[in-house]
Structures are given as structure tokens and as C-alpha cells.
Amino acid sequence: QQRVWRLVNEAVDILKQSPTLVSEKDTADALALRRFEALVPVTPLFLDLPLMRGDEVPHAPHLAVAARPWPGAVAVYDAPFEGGDFALNTTIAARAAIGRAVTPLHRMRPALWSRGGGVEVAMPHWVTLASAGSGEVLSGANLMAIGTGAGWELFQFAEAELLAPGRWRLGRLLRGQFGTDALIPDAWAPGAVVVRIDAGLRQIDLPLALRGLARRYRIGPAARPLDDPLYVDRVEAFAGAGLRPYAPVFLRARRGAGGDLALSWVRRTRVGGDDWAVPQVPLGEE
């Protein structure tokens, strides 16, 4: 260490004798010690989500990855559950905004603006949430997932208020979006995971024939080899929530004069259902 510093000082003396090459300030800046942050294992989170834009692979899950510090890129390898070599599945270049609910999120009627207290969430320090107008939200802004891993409800928010560093109150919610109204519990308890749906999430490659089958996944910094101890292992199987049809709505029963019971309902669709110019939504599945 002493030898290194002697060489550094000799280099500084040489640079100071050549003012045209570098100034004293530049020399000081170059020698300023930077805080070293060692890489740590990443935190991967798989989400089996419904179709949102409509052009996703319906049966393939999304993967959100968090790490501090962020390694720059994360590699995802997979292999058969019963054994076999790992192969590169995909790489993820952006970290995901993963947080937790601080207060309970109680049941609310889906697809209607909630006027209640909303929910408080804790998010990483680098995440900024912003309020949005009704039109922006109805066009897809401020979409989040909440769940415990077994199932994910999608909701949107129009109001975001910063209460403290990393703590936000989300209000004026739209609950049960994209057919997840059936997954709304009586309350999501504090500690439930919340994930902002944005470019930080990426679908992994999963052939349709492997839907529902357990596979092994190894996830870690892309700059490190596959056997590096920073990689974490997961075993996951996915049902393919993007294939799940939406439940019908406005179920009505009317008894006729002869005692017959007439049932009627309005069907929904998971594919192309946002076109207001057609009298009925297209048939996604028979």
C-alpha cells in the first residue's frame, strides 16, 4: 500500500510540473476517493399477470428484479426441473420499483373511482410517484400490482402524496383492473408486495408447452459467471394468467309468466376490449 501511494505522489508531482496538461483542481478531483459499493445478490420477483397492453405473450410471466447497488444488467438462466444444463433465457437492463403496503388496502368496488383513504406504500428511495389526471389513468398511467405471490391484483391511482422519504399515500384508485377483480380480498394486509408496472418488468421466454411445469431459474449480475455466489436460485411454475377469461358482469335473472327463469349477462373480453366504437366487445375465446 505504501508503494502504491509513493507511485501516486510521484505521478502527481509530474502532473503539477506540466500545467498545460492538467490543473491542480483536476489532479485533486482525479485522486478523490470514491465510495466502494460491493455487489449483492439480486432480489427477483416473478409475477404471473394478465394481458395489459394486449401484445404480451399471454402465458409467459413477468420478472421484476431489485438490487442495491444495481449491477447494470441482470442475466436470467433456466433449466428443466429434473436436471439439465442452464441456458440464458433473457437479460434485464432496468431495476424494478418494488415496495410494500404500509397500511391495509380494503376491498372496494372494482372499475369505479374510490373516494376513500387509499393505501400507504413504502418504495425505494429512487422511486418517484406522481399524480395523474383521469384521462391519463384511463389511458394506462400509474398501474401497479399488489399481492403476496399467489395472485396479483392490478390497480391504478390518480393521486400520489409524499408523506416521508420513500413513503407515499396513493388515492383515488381504480381496483381490479384487467380482469383481476376476482382476486380482490377483503383486505390486502400491511406487508403485501406492491410493484410498479413499467419498463423495469420483462417477460421471460417460456414456451406454451411448459406452462404449469416447474423449472429452475438462476438469476444474477450479467457481468458475473453463472456459478458466481451472487446468483440466486428459484424453482417456479406458472399458470399463465394472461390466458384467463374475464368473468361476465351484470348477471340478471327474470322469471317469466310460465315460471321459466331467463338469465342475462354482459360478457367481457381480455383481447381488444377497449374499443368504444363497437356495440359488443370481440370474442376472445368461445
Side-chain angles (χ1 to χ4, degrees):
Q1 193 175 20
Q2 292 177 349
R3 182 170 178 268
V4 170
W5 279 113
R6 187 175 69 251
L7 293 173
V8 169
N9 290 329
E10 290 176 359
V12 171
D13 291 338
I14 294 173
L15 291 173
K16 285 182 177 179
Q17 295 172 11
S18 305
T20 57
L21 295 178
V22 63
S23 67
E24 222 174 280
K25 179 180 180 304
D26 292 334
T27 304
D29 291 343
L31 294 175
L33 294 178
R34 296 185 178 181
R35 180 182 176 185
F36 173 74
E37 290 186 301
L39 293 179
V40 299
V42 300
T43 301
L45 180 64
F46 287 97
L47 299 94
D48 199 357
L49 298 176
L51 294 178
M52 294 167 286
R53 300 186 311 272
D55 59 352
E56 302 97 331
V57 179
H59 61 274
H62 291 73
L63 178 58
V65 182
R68 183 179 179 185
W70 179 248
V74 169
V76 183
Y77 293 85
D78 67 336
F81 178 69
E82 298 295 337
D85 294 333
F86 279 92
L88 181 64
N89 184 295
T90 189
T91 57
I92 297 177
R95 57 183 171 179
I98 303 174
R100 293 193 177 273
V102 178
T103 59
L105 179 56
H106 296 283
R107 177 186 291 274
M108 304 171 188
R109 293 193 65 181
L112 296 177
W113 292 107
S114 68
R115 309 291 179 176
V119 63
E120 293 182 17
V121 299
M123 301 297 292
H125 70 282
W126 58 270
V127 174
T128 299
L129 304 177
S131 300
S134 300
E136 294 176 284
V137 175
L138 293 176
S139 296
N142 289 350
L143 179 62
M144 301 194 78
I146 183 169
T148 56
W152 298 94
E153 178 202 342
L154 295 179
F155 73 92
Q156 292 175 270
F157 63 91
E159 298 173 353
E161 178 186 1
L162 181 62
L163 304 176
R167 182 161 175 166
W168 301 80
R169 178 184 289 119
L170 307 181
R172 201 159 176 258
L173 310 180
L174 284 177
R175 299 288 303 278
Q177 296 293 76
F178 300 103
T180 61
D181 47 294
L183 304 178
I184 301 177
D186 290 335
W188 291 109
V193 179
V194 291
V195 183
R196 185 172 65 185
I197 307 299
D198 57 17
L201 274 68
R202 184 180 179 91
Q203 281 190 294
I204 66 170
D205 182 24
L206 184 72
L208 182 58
L210 298 180
R211 182 175 71 92
L213 300 180
R215 290 184 66 78
R216 296 180 295 151
Y217 295 91
R218 187 167 290 174
I219 306 159
R224 298 294 183 93
L226 180 60
D227 58 354
D228 192 281
L230 290 179
Y231 274 75
V232 296
D233 292 299
R234 294 287 188 271
V235 175
E236 301 283 349
F238 308 101
L243 296 171
R244 183 176 57 219
Y246 291 5
V249 292
F250 298 113
L251 177 64
R252 291 183 172 87
R254 185 175 62 255
R255 191 171 297 279
D260 294 337
L261 194 62
L263 302 177
S264 64
W265 62 88
V266 175
R267 64 178 174 84
R268 296 188 293 168
T269 183
R270 64 187 179 89
V271 181
D274 211 24
D275 187 353
W276 289 61
V278 295
Q280 278 199 3
V281 294
L283 188 65
E285 42 265 319
E286 296 183 8

